[in-house]
Amino acid sequence: MNKFFRYSGAKDKFTSIINANMKTDKKIYCEPFAGSGAVLFNLNRQFDKYIINDIDRNIIRIYKSFKNISYEYYKEVIDSVFKEFGRFTDDRRYISKEAGEVAKTNYYNFRNWFNSNHWNTDTELEGIYLHMLANSCINSMLRFGPNGMNQGFGLRFSELDQTIFNNIQNILQRTEIYNGSYKDLLKEDAFFFFDPPYASQASSYTGFSFQDQEEFLELTRSK
């Protein structure tokens, strides 16, 4: 499993079912609601080109960053964060209550520093830091308010190993990345995988009402 980052609603458990039902001769794969990329990065077949989109600019910033950076730089950034703020925990099973409180403080100090110095800067560093926050926050849900990321600590941290990093980046090298409406991609002659937000549910999206859902079903009926 090539797991890029933790994300609420990710389809990690369903990739084998999705792959088994993917019958197409299309050369382009298009995912208008990219989310964590669980499907994209675990396809059994290769496409000539991939297109992904998400309305959440924070998620897209992560993709753009990891398309360009090296594994060595990724590790260097993580090490610099832990040197400056201290480690977050890697596994709740092997950490004491006291150590958990320390890890929690480290996380909040890093999160607050990120919000003050890097959020909305549209830089590669912002994307890496967002990736770290996604892999350590509660419920795997990046949540934002007026002052930045505000999700609590999930008592965990996980990072990519080099094999998974390379697998993900190899796909991203053939991927066009967009931050807009899914409607802008419907003209593509591609195989589409649609995983829209739940109607009326709160999420990092700007909103997907029942009316939006009906419009989505009508626009994609022929896809």
Side-chain angles (χ1 to χ4, degrees), residues 121-132:
T121 56
D122 200 29
T123 61
E124 289 179 353
L125 269 176
E126 183 195 7
I128 301 171
Y129 293 149
L130 283 167
H131 187 266
M132 293 183 70

Side-chain angles (χ1 to χ4, degrees), residues 13 19 45 64 71 83 108 145 164 177 216 223:
K13 297 178 180 179
N19 276 305
R45 58 155 295 176
K64 288 182 176 179
Y71 182 73
K83 182 177 180 180
Y108 284 118
I164 292 178
I177 304 172
F216 165 78
K223 293 297 179 182

Side-chain angles (χ1 to χ4, degrees), residues 18-213:
I18 293 168
N19 276 305
N21 289 277
M22 189 174 290
K23 314 297 183 184
T24 181
D25 295 324
K26 300 290 186 182
K27 304 298 183 183
I28 300 173
Y29 174 86
C30 185
E31 195 166 343
F33 306 94
S36 71
V39 177
L40 170 71
F41 297 124
N42 292 284
L43 294 169
N44 282 347
R45 58 155 295 176
Q46 288 193 358
F47 290 81
D48 293 343
K49 185 173 75 171
Y50 304 86
I51 301 172
I52 60 172
N53 172 78
D54 204 289
I55 200 170
D56 187 340
R57 56 83 49 195
N58 300 289
I59 298 301
I60 291 303
R61 181 63 264 176
I62 295 175
Y63 280 111
K64 288 182 176 179
S65 292
F66 279 80
K67 182 173 183 175
N68 297 313
I69 63 173
S70 67
Y71 182 73
E72 290 72 24
Y73 182 62
Y74 164 67
K75 290 288 291 181
E76 180 183 315
V77 171
I78 291 176
D79 291 343
S80 69
V81 168
F82 290 155
K83 182 177 180 180
E84 179 68 24
F85 298 98
R87 291 192 65 86
F88 320 146
T89 181
D90 291 321
D91 195 323
R92 70 180 64 193
R93 293 174 299 175
Y94 306 115
I95 190 168
S96 65
K97 181 178 180 180
E98 293 76 15
E101 288 301 314
V102 172
K104 181 179 179 180
T105 298
N106 295 343
Y107 167 85
Y108 284 118
N109 287 338
F110 168 59
R111 189 195 71 178
N112 295 339
W113 172 83
F114 164 80
N115 287 336
S116 298
N117 295 278
H118 290 278
W119 187 49
N120 277 336
T121 56
D122 200 29
T123 61
E124 289 179 353
L125 269 176
E126 183 195 7
I128 301 171
Y129 293 149
L130 283 167
H131 187 266
M132 293 183 70
L133 289 167
N135 283 334
S136 53
C137 69
I138 194 168
N139 292 333
S140 308
M141 183 181 290
L142 283 170
R143 188 181 64 189
F144 297 85
N147 298 316
M149 197 276 202
N150 59 15
Q151 184 64 292
F153 182 43
L155 197 58
R156 61 160 181 263
F157 177 75
S158 57
E159 63 185 71
L160 302 175
D161 66 32
Q162 188 162 9
T163 298
I164 292 178
F165 179 96
N166 291 341
N167 292 341
I168 287 168
Q169 195 170 71
N170 285 338
I171 293 175
L172 288 177
Q173 296 309 305
R174 289 177 284 147
T175 301
E176 295 178 5
I177 304 172
Y178 297 100
N179 173 213
S181 170
Y182 73 90
K183 300 173 189 177
D184 297 334
L185 301 180
L186 298 182
K187 63 182 182 297
E188 297 288 343
D189 181 23
F191 176 87
F192 286 87
F193 178 77
F194 294 110
D195 182 22
Y198 296 117
S200 78
Q201 298 297 312
S203 71
S204 58
Y205 291 87
T206 57
F208 208 73
S209 67
F210 284 106
Q211 183 178 349
D212 293 327
Q213 185 183 65

